């Protein structure tokens, strides 16, 4: 009797203890679930907001690109129209035959998809217009600038573009204007909504008007526009039907007032994934709590049989399988045996992983190497031959300079950091690898929502933020080549070769990315051919020197000429200097080119002096020439050979050439200056020299880059910049030369601010020696008026 009571008491105590342990376990699980939900909800909402803002910013770029592409399409079409000889004839005879011009313009309007057009005279008077347009105050010159311009006409709003028509192509005189417009409401299609997953509204807040919008825009009522906030970031607007999340991005101007694109979405849709995630997380946590409680109950009632499980694990190991977990036991012997099995398997696994890692991963960056990248592409193609792939290959611009300047250790750290960013980016976007050196690659699937241009842009964002390596901040850019499977190549080797060709074409054309085409392949072959033929071209006389005069503004005289190299190839025809000069610098042939240019210029100087023309000439030298200490002695020999004073020569060198090796460059400049040769800093204002470096340079002249001069007559900012550069030069005791002078108004402004010399098409383009002599004779008799 007593034994039965004691047995029941033990059972009761045991049951009570289990209940207490279960209650405590359940309480702990409840606290963990609530705390986890709280912090996850906060983090999820913050992350979702950041993702939404990023999506809106990307969508704004898509909308802006869409509008700019439409404007560019109008520009390209109207540029073709403006060069059409028959159109020019119709414009010239518009007063007598308006019908023919109108018929031709209606044809172009239809082809370009424009909704309205005007053809204006040089005084902006109306010649002809579309059937639904009459003469109005059309500021055609304003519409010809690259920005987006909006215009209101008869209650409709248009994206406007304008192109000047010149009867003589190279003339500075404008004979007519062609203006076309596309209705704003036609620019926002359902396709754009599907592409961005946003409703888009184009508004002018200053006017309080909606210019155009997608069909389901929430801002259809103009009265709501006053509530829109323009500050950066996300904004919330409560409507009667829903809450709207939106952001505003500037998209051009209308009558000098900004026009904004409002990208909006329903708040419930914007945070739908966040709410769904929280719901799923609640379910998972509750399920985990229930399972945990059940497991704790079962473990308190059962005793496992570890030896049987160890036998099964040993059999699986013998078959080559990996066992994730080994059983534990309450006996020391079995626990030791289980631990030994685990250590043995881990040793085998570690050795296999080490061998695999050495074969398929880059040793420095710890990301996949070229072998694994190639295998991955081959597997993708073999598993699904009809798939569509994009291979993006890129390298780091000027990486050699980083290595040479900061050392290989810091260069390696930069490669590691790039790999880390690329790996994080490619986690959900594709498969990445380091191919070797500073070359990386990424492969991903082609999708309707991801164009090659979008993929290149997204990849370039990896480099958007500067790299900080051992307290050194580096702004790094990359050159991206893109090849598509199967469009460009059907084999792995061909696909990699196409991407490589596209990547190197970026460097030649100074673009951030390039999509492969057969023309690029041909260009690469031509490029290699030119690299080998340049030296022979010098011996065969294919290169010529042309001369462009520099006008002394105050004197109205021509005292100096700039020498410009022209290459007329027997097969490829005219080869622009921008194509072969970089090749010459890469191969080291630039020294031969410079020596040829100096000798040819000195010979021509002697010929001119024998004929009574006492010009000075300016010859451009590269960074390689500048640090070649044999250059001064070569120039001295040429001066003696042709009996030319050193003052007749000017050496022009760019800011970047000086700054690439400032110490040796300054030494070479001082040597040339001591010889009596004048020195000029070319393209001043576009480089990166500091005032301290400029003060050290023994130069006589600053050449103001044509980027600041071409639009000088209309651009107030360029006027301020040129005036500042001229004042700086005067304070340093230097003369100034303005490049790109193309009209009288620019020349008069340069005279007013005290610029010393002018150079550009307003005087003449660069001419061969004989043609330059004839031009100079005409200039001496008639001046610029001729």
């Amino acid at each position: 009797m007593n034994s039965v009571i004691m047995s029941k008491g033990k059972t009761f105590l045991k049951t009570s203890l289990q209940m207490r342990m279960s209650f405590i376990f359940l309480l702990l699980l409840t606290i963990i679930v609530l705390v986890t939900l709280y912090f996850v909800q906060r983090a999820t909402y913050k992350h979702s907001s950041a993702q939404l803002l990023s999506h809106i910013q990307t969508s704004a770029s898509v909308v802006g690109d869409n509008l700019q592409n439409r404007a560019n399409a109008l520009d390209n079409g109207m540029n073709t129209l403006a060069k059409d000889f028959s159109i020019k004839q119709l414009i010239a005879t518009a007063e007598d035959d308006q019908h023919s011009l109108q018929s031709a313009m209606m044809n172009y309007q239809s082809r370009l998809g424009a909704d309205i057009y005007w053809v204006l005279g040089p005084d902006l008077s109306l010649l002809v217009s579309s059937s639904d347009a009459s003469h109005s105050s059309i500021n055609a010159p304003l519409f010809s600038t690259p920005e987006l311009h909006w215009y209101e006409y008869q209650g409709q709003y248009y994206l406007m573009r304008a192109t000047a028509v010149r009867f003589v192509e190279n003339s500075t005189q404008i004979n007519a204007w062609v203006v076309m417009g596309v209705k704003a409401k036609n620019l926002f299609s359902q396709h754009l909504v599907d592409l961005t997953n946003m409703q888009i509204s184009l508004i002018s807040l200053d006017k309080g008007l909606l210019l155009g919008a997608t069909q389901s825009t929430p801002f259809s009522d103009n009265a709501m526009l006053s509530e829109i906030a323009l500050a950066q970031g996300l904004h919330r607007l409560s409507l009667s039907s829903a809450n709207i999340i939106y952001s505003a991005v500037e998209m051009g101007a209308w009558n000098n007032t900004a026009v904004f694109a409002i990208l909006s979405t329903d708040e419930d849709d914007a945070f739908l994934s966040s709410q769904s995630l929280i719901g799923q997380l609640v379910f998972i946590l509750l399920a985990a709590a229930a399972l945990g409680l059940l497991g704790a109950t079962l473990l308190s009632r059962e005793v496992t049989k570890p030896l049987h499980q160890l036998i099964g694990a040993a059999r699986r190991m013998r078959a080559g399988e990996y066992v994730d977990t080994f059983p534990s036991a309450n006996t020391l012997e079995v626990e030791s045996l289980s631990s030994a099995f685990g250590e043995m398997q881990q040793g085998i696994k570690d050795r296999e992983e080490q061998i695999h890692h050495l074969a398929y991963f880059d040793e420095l960056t710890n990301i996949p190497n070229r072998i694994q990248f190639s295998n991955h592409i081959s597997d993708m193609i073999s598993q699904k031959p009809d798939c569509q792939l994009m291979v993006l290959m890129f390298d780091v611009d000027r990486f050699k300079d980083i290595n040479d300047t900061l050392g290989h250790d810091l260069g390696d750290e930069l490669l590691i950091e790039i790999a880390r960013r690329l790996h994080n980016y490619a986690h959900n976007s594709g498969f990445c690898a380091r191919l070797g050196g500073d070359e990386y690659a990424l492969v991903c699937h082609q999708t309707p929502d991801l164009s090659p241009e979008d993929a290149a842009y997204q990849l370039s964002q990896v480099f958007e933020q500067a790299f900080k390596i051992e307290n050194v901040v580096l702004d790094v850019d990359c050159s991206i080549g893109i090849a598509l499977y199967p469009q460009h190549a059907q084999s792995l080797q061909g696909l990699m070769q196409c991407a490589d060709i596209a990547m190197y074409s970026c460097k030649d054309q100074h673009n951030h990315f390039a999509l492969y085409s057969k023309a690029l392949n041909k260009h690469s072959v031509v490029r290699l051919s030119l690299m080998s033929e340049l030296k022979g071209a010098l011996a065969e006389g294919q290169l010529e020197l042309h001369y462009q005069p520099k006008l002394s503004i105050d004197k109205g005289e021509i005292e100096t000429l700039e020498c410009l190299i022209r290459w007329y190839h027997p097969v490829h025809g005219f080869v622009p200097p921008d194509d072969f000069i970089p090749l010459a610098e890469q191969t080291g042939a630039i020294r031969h080119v410079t020596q040829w240019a100096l000798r040819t210029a000195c010979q021509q100087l002697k010929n001119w002096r024998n004929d009574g023309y006492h010009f000075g000439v300016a010859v451009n030298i590269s960074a390689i020439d500048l640090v070649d200490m044999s250059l001064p002695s070569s120039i001295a020999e040429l001066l003696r050979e042709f009996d030319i004073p050193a003052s007749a020569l000017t050496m022009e060198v760019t800011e970047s050439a000086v700054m690439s090796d400032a110490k040796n460059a300054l030494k070479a400049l001082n040597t040339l200056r001591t010889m009596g040769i004048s020195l000029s800093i070319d393209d001043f204002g576009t480089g990166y020299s500091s005032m301290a470096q400029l003060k050290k340079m023994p130069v006589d002249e600053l050449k103001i880059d044509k980027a600041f001069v071409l639009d000088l007559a209309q651009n107030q900012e360029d006027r301020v910049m040129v005036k500042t550069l001229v004042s700086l030069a005067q304070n340093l005791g230097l003369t100034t030369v303005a490049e790109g002078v193309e009209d009288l108004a620019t020349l008069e402004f340069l005279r007013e601010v005290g610029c010393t010399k002018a150079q550009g098409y307003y005087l003449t383009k660069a001419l061969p020696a004989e043609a330059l002599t004839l031009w100079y004779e005409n200039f001496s008799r008639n001046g610029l008026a001729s």
Side-chain angles (χ1 to χ4, degrees):
M1 182 72 176
N2 291 334
S3 62
V4 173
I5 295 174
M6 291 179 63
S7 176
K8 290 183 177 180
K10 290 180 180 179
T11 303
F12 174 76
L13 290 175
K14 186 175 182 181
T15 303
S16 299
L17 180 61
Q18 289 177 352
M19 291 178 62
R20 288 196 300 269
M21 291 180 64
S22 298
F23 175 77
I24 294 173
F25 185 75
L26 183 60
L27 179 62
L28 290 174
L29 282 176
T30 302
I31 294 173
I32 293 172
V33 167
L34 293 176
V35 172
T36 302
L37 283 175
Y38 173 75
F39 284 104
V40 168
Q41 193 275 338
R42 288 186 58 187
T44 303
Y45 183 81
K46 183 177 180 181
H47 177 69
S48 297
S49 298
Q51 281 189 322
L52 178 59
L53 179 58
S54 176
H55 175 69
I56 288 181
Q57 290 171 344
T58 302
S59 299
S61 298
V62 171
V63 173
D65 290 345
N66 187 70
L67 294 178
Q68 192 62 57
N69 289 341
R70 189 65 184 90
N72 291 343
L74 275 181
D75 283 338
N76 293 336
M78 289 194 293
N79 285 334
T80 301
L81 181 152
K83 294 178 180 179
D84 190 326
F85 181 74
S86 61
I87 290 293
K88 293 179 182 180
Q89 284 185 319
L90 292 175
I91 292 175
T93 60
E95 293 184 359
D96 300 324
D97 185 9
Q98 287 187 346
H99 178 73
S100 296
L101 176 58
Q102 193 162 29
S103 176
M105 288 303 301
M106 288 175 66
N107 181 40
Y108 266 101
Q109 177 190 10
S110 175
R111 287 164 59 185
L112 299 182
D115 296 306
I116 198 168
Y117 75 83
W118 289 268
V119 179
L120 307 177
D123 58 352
L124 303 185
S125 61
L126 179 65
L127 299 180
V128 295
S129 64
S130 54
S131 59
D132 53 352
S134 59
H135 187 255
S136 182
S137 177
I138 305 298
N139 190 352
L142 173 63
F143 296 152
S144 66
T145 60
E147 297 81 13
L148 296 176
H149 299 283
W150 304 94
Y151 182 71
E152 187 270 336
Y153 182 74
Q154 295 183 350
Q156 296 287 335
Y157 305 97
Y158 297 86
L159 172 63
M160 301 295 289
R161 305 302 301 164
T163 298
V165 178
R166 293 177 172 86
F167 292 164
V168 178
E169 283 298 327
N170 295 327
S171 173
T172 59
Q173 179 181 355
I174 296 175
N175 301 100
W177 289 93
V178 176
V179 183
M180 287 191 178
V182 178
K183 289 182 180 179
K185 66 181 182 181
N186 295 337
L187 295 172
F188 303 101
S189 62
Q190 183 61 36
H191 173 71
L192 196 57
V193 175
D194 297 338
L195 187 62
T196 61
N197 200 24
M198 289 279 162
Q199 295 297 328
I200 307 160
S201 309
L202 190 70
I203 65 171
S204 172
L205 291 185
D206 291 346
K207 305 290 185 179
L209 293 173
L210 180 67
L211 308 187
T214 52
Q215 186 174 2
S216 302
T217 177
F219 300 104
S220 56
D221 185 0
N222 288 342
M224 298 170 51
L225 302 183
S226 59
E227 301 181 24
I228 293 177
L230 299 180
Q232 291 185 350
L234 298 177
H235 303 283
R236 184 175 181 271
L237 183 63
S238 297
L239 304 178
S240 57
S241 58
N243 293 325
I244 300 300
I245 301 296
Y246 70 92
S247 185
V249 181
E250 186 172 344
M251 291 288 176
W254 170 28
N255 286 343
N256 296 324
T257 61
V259 172
F260 293 86
I262 308 300
L263 282 79
S264 59
T265 185
D266 188 274
E267 184 178 32
D268 292 338
D269 294 338
F271 295 103
L272 180 62
S273 61
S274 173
Q275 296 168 357
S276 175
L277 179 62
I278 294 298
Q280 294 175 11
L281 184 62
V282 170
F283 176 78
I284 292 172
L285 289 176
L286 291 177
L291 291 174
L293 183 61
L294 178 62
T297 303
L298 293 175
L299 286 175
S300 66
R301 295 176 180 177
E302 293 183 3
V303 177
T304 61
K305 298 179 180 180
L307 288 176
H308 179 73
Q309 295 177 356
L310 279 175
I311 292 171
R315 288 173 177 170
R316 293 199 299 274
M317 289 173 60
R318 184 179 62 185
E321 298 180 14
Y322 282 105
V323 180
D324 294 332
T325 57
F326 289 89
S328 59
N330 54 3
T331 60
L332 180 61
E333 292 80 6
V334 176
E335 187 71 26
S336 299
L337 182 61
S338 179
S339 177
F341 268 89
E343 292 172 0
M344 179 180 66
Q345 178 179 255
Q346 188 61 43
I348 297 172
K349 185 177 180 180
D350 290 344
R351 285 192 295 274
E352 290 184 356
E353 287 180 349
Q354 185 178 9
I355 294 171
H356 182 273
H357 194 276
L358 290 173
Y360 294 102
F361 286 84
D362 180 66
E363 185 177 0
L364 176 66
T365 62
N366 207 33
I367 65 173
N369 59 12
R370 180 184 290 270
I371 296 175
Q372 187 177 173
F373 186 76
S374 300
N375 291 345
H376 184 78
I377 296 178
S378 298
D379 291 342
M380 295 174 75
I381 295 174
S382 62
Q383 292 171 10
K384 193 174 182 182
D386 59 345
C387 67
Q388 292 187 323
L389 305 177
M390 283 191 292
V391 173
L392 291 85
M393 186 181 297
F394 68 94
D395 68 358
V396 180
D397 293 345
R398 300 179 300 279
F399 181 73
K400 183 178 184 300
D401 295 339
I402 296 174
N403 257 351
D404 294 345
T405 304
L406 302 177
H408 290 270
D409 290 340
L410 191 142
D412 288 346
E413 290 296 322
L414 175 61
L415 294 176
I416 294 170
E417 181 62 16
I418 291 173
R420 185 188 66 79
R421 290 193 188 180
L422 181 61
H423 179 73
N424 292 337
Y425 164 77
H427 181 68
N428 296 318
S429 304
F431 186 84
C432 67
R434 180 188 179 210
L435 304 184
D438 62 325
E439 287 190 5
Y440 298 82
L442 174 76
V443 61
C444 59
H445 287 281
Q446 298 184 54
T447 64
D449 296 332
L450 185 67
S451 67
E453 292 79 10
D454 293 336
Y457 172 77
Q458 292 176 15
L459 180 58
S460 67
Q461 296 304 298
V462 173
F463 295 83
E464 185 69 17
Q465 185 177 359
F467 293 84
K468 187 174 183 181
I469 311 295
E470 296 183 3
N471 298 322
V472 177
V473 178
L474 299 173
D475 283 319
V476 177
D477 293 321
C478 66
S479 298
I480 305 172
I482 309 173
L484 305 180
Y485 172 88
Q487 294 94 320
H488 297 151
Q490 286 75 48
S491 66
L492 168 67
Q493 182 179 0
L495 198 59
M496 297 290 284
Q497 183 179 10
C498 291
D500 190 68
I501 290 172
M503 179 181 72
Y504 279 97
S505 74
C506 295
K507 300 183 181 298
D508 294 341
Q509 301 171 15
H510 305 290
N511 293 329
H512 287 300
F513 74 93
L515 181 64
Y516 173 79
S517 67
K518 291 183 178 179
L520 291 181
N521 197 11
K522 180 180 178 182
H523 173 73
S524 298
V525 174
V526 172
R527 181 178 179 271
L528 291 173
S529 175
L530 291 177
M531 290 176 71
S532 61
E533 293 178 17
L534 180 57
K535 197 169 182 180
L538 289 169
E540 295 172 9
Q542 296 177 17
L543 269 62
E544 297 178 8
L545 272 191
H546 286 199
Y547 305 85
Q548 188 171 37
K550 301 179 184 179
L551 174 69
S552 295
I553 297 176
D554 286 340
K555 299 178 183 179
E557 299 175 357
I558 303 299
E559 297 176 345
T560 55
L561 314 168
E562 181 179 4
C563 301
L564 299 170
I565 300 176
R566 299 291 183 261
W567 184 2
Y568 296 94
H569 193 280
V571 176
H572 305 297
F574 175 71
V575 182
D578 288 343
D579 285 353
F580 71 86
I581 292 297
L583 296 180
E585 291 177 339
Q586 292 176 24
T587 60
I590 190 64
R591 290 189 175 93
H592 302 290
V593 174
T594 302
Q595 290 293 336
W596 170 86
L598 286 168
R599 171 168 289 277
T600 304
C602 289
Q603 177 67 65
Q604 187 57 52
L605 269 182
K606 182 175 179 61
N607 295 341
W608 272 328
R609 287 175 177 264
N610 291 340
D611 294 336
Y613 304 105
H614 293 276
F615 298 128
V617 295
V619 180
N620 292 278
I621 56 176
S622 70
I624 297 175
D625 298 318
L626 193 59
V627 296
D628 183 3
M629 299 314 296
S630 66
L631 180 65
S633 60
S634 299
I635 294 176
E637 291 177 8
L638 289 173
L639 295 176
R640 286 192 298 270
E641 179 180 348
F642 294 101
D643 192 23
I644 298 170
S647 59
L649 274 183
T650 299
M651 297 291 106
E652 292 189 4
V653 59
T654 61
E655 293 180 78
S656 57
V658 176
M659 297 305 296
S660 63
D661 188 352
K663 182 178 179 181
N664 289 326
L666 289 174
K667 183 177 179 181
L669 289 175
N670 281 310
T671 302
L672 293 171
R673 188 70 181 85
T674 303
M675 294 170 58
I677 294 172
S678 299
L679 301 173
S680 176
I681 295 296
D682 197 10
D683 298 339
F684 185 74
T686 62
Y688 48 85
S689 60
S690 65
M691 291 301 103
Q693 290 291 349
L694 181 60
K695 183 179 178 182
K696 296 177 183 178
M697 296 181 194
V699 298
D700 308 282
E701 181 181 86
L702 298 182
K703 293 194 71 176
I704 302 172
D705 187 72
K706 63 182 178 182
F708 303 115
V709 180
L710 287 173
D711 199 26
L712 196 59
Q714 292 83 24
N715 193 308
Q716 183 60 33
E717 294 179 355
D718 285 350
R719 286 173 169 247
V720 173
M721 178 62 75
V722 170
K723 187 174 182 180
T724 301
L725 293 175
V726 171
S727 177
L728 170 66
Q730 290 173 342
N731 290 332
L732 293 174
L734 306 177
T735 60
T736 49
V737 177
E739 296 178 297
V741 177
E742 295 191 358
D743 52 55
L744 179 60
T746 300
L747 181 62
E748 290 300 327
F749 176 81
L750 294 171
R751 189 192 310 276
E752 291 174 9
V753 299
C755 183
T756 313
K757 297 179 182 179
Q759 177 181 352
Y761 275 30
Y762 183 65
L763 281 76
T764 180
K765 65 179 182 180
L767 300 170
E770 293 183 7
L772 189 282
T773 304
L774 294 176
W775 177 91
Y776 179 74
E777 289 292 343
N778 185 52
F779 170 84
S780 300
R781 291 192 301 268
N782 304 312
L784 286 177
S786 61

